[in-house]
Amino acid sequence: MLKNLNPEPLSTEIRASGSILHDFYTGLEKIFERIALTIDGGLPEGVDWHAQLLRRMFVSAPQRPALFTNDLEEQLNEYLRFRHLFRNIYGFELRWEKCQPLVEKLSDTY
């Protein structure tokens, strides 16, 4: 669906793309939270707990191996940062330049 967007998407398409990107990372983070709670012994604490949680998934823990190779870390960090942006702006402020690179990489990242 996202690959069929026009080079200059309509504002509704940009907002829909942002929502899909948001949902993608939120879904991943729910999995990470479940792993942290059931295997790692709890969630990280502090204002940057989301970033800490993501970093934790790239490191082996006593009860599990690292979930990902390091080459995926920066890509997932980009989706985390976008999710933060998406949650903290009004939809009409969303710009295609922020969504486009993530939309283009979504399939490969998944």
Side-chain angles (χ1 to χ4, degrees), residues 15 18 35 48 54 56 59 70 73 78 87 89 97 101:
R15 290 176 87 162
I35 291 167
D48 67 337
L54 178 57
R56 191 187 283 181
V59 178
N70 289 339
E73 187 170 10
E78 289 177 34
R87 288 183 173 185
I89 65 171
E97 306 83 58

Side-chain angles (χ1 to χ4, degrees), residues 73-110:
E73 187 170 10
E74 183 51 37
Q75 288 177 2
L76 291 181
N77 265 308
E78 289 177 34
Y79 288 96
L80 169 59
R81 288 189 297 269
F82 178 84
R83 200 259 317 258
H84 179 78
L85 170 79
F86 186 83
R87 288 183 173 185
N88 290 285
I89 65 171
Y90 294 107
F92 68 85
E93 296 176 301
L94 193 57
R95 298 289 172 250
W96 182 236
E97 306 83 58
K98 296 287 186 184
C99 297
Q100 185 177 11
L102 298 173
V103 165
E104 290 172 352
K105 292 189 258 182
L106 185 61
S107 225
D108 290 339
T109 303
Y110 179 74

Side-chain angles (χ1 to χ4, degrees), residues 11 14 20 22 26-29 39-40 43-44 47 51-52 56-57 69 73 77-78 86 89-90 94-96 104 110:
S11 64
I14 295 169
I20 290 167
H22 171 275
T26 299
L28 286 176
E29 190 171 79
I39 298 173
D40 294 352
L43 291 170
V47 295
Q52 289 181 52
R56 191 187 283 181
M57 298 300 118
T69 59
E73 187 170 10
N77 265 308
E78 289 177 34
F86 186 83
I89 65 171
Y90 294 107
L94 193 57
R95 298 289 172 250
W96 182 236
E104 290 172 352
Y110 179 74

